Amino acid sequence: MDELIDKHTITLLISQLGLGMVKEVFEAFVPNAEENIHFLQKNWHVGQHQDLRIKSHSLKSSAANLGFMQLSRLAKSLEEHCVNHEQHEFNANQDKLDDLSPALQASIDELALMGIARESL
């Protein structure tokens, strides 16, 4: 099974920034991630390839930097399809789009179990 979060990355962030700052970073990340996810889900079939690529890239990078590996992998796959511009690829990605929000929530839940995030971020 794919790794949901990278505990090593999170531990490294805590050692570098301190737990309080890491909690603040996560709290700032979540609304931005939700905004990007909403944009991708709403506009995926509209064909705004450049905007979709930028949003999926942003989500991929920020999620990876914070250890949200499953979310980052999903966003990476979507970003790669944006670069290809192939319509059949766009249509085949509905399952990945549908998995974005649950992946974000599952990552938040995992952090809550670790005592790093509130479940209601």
Side-chain angles (χ1 to χ4, degrees):
M1 182 169 169
D2 289 334
E3 184 178 34
L4 181 63
I5 62 170
D6 181 357
K7 293 178 182 174
H8 175 74
T9 297
I10 295 168
T11 302
L12 185 60
L13 285 171
I14 293 170
S15 72
Q16 293 174 339
L17 303 174
L19 181 58
M21 179 61 76
V22 170
K23 287 181 178 183
E24 286 182 38
V25 169
F26 285 137
E27 288 182 17
F29 164 74
V30 170
N32 184 267
E34 290 173 334
E35 180 182 311
N36 285 338
I37 289 169
H38 177 72
F39 180 89
L40 289 168
Q41 290 172 333
K42 181 179 177 186
N43 296 294
W44 189 258
H45 296 288
V46 176
Q48 302 172 4
H49 302 290
Q50 183 65 15
D51 292 338
L52 292 168
R53 189 196 63 76
I54 290 169
K55 293 289 187 181
S56 57
H57 176 81
S58 175
L59 183 61
K60 173 198 74 175
S61 300
S62 57
N65 287 335
L66 296 177
F68 287 60
M69 302 316 295
Q70 184 181 42
L71 183 61
S72 180
R73 281 189 299 276
L74 288 167
K76 178 183 179 184
S77 178
L78 293 170
E79 179 188 20
E80 289 170 352
H81 293 296
C82 290
V83 172
N84 293 336
H85 296 265
E86 295 178 18
Q87 190 61 39
H88 72 278
E89 295 287 345
F90 273 81
N91 294 333
N93 282 292
Q94 189 62 50
D95 60 333
K96 291 182 180 82
L97 291 166
D98 293 341
D99 289 344
L100 289 171
S101 291
L104 176 61
Q105 186 58 54
S107 298
I108 293 167
D109 293 346
E110 183 77 15
L111 292 177
L113 289 173
M114 296 170 61
I116 297 171
R118 296 186 315 260
E119 289 182 38
S120 61
L121 277 181

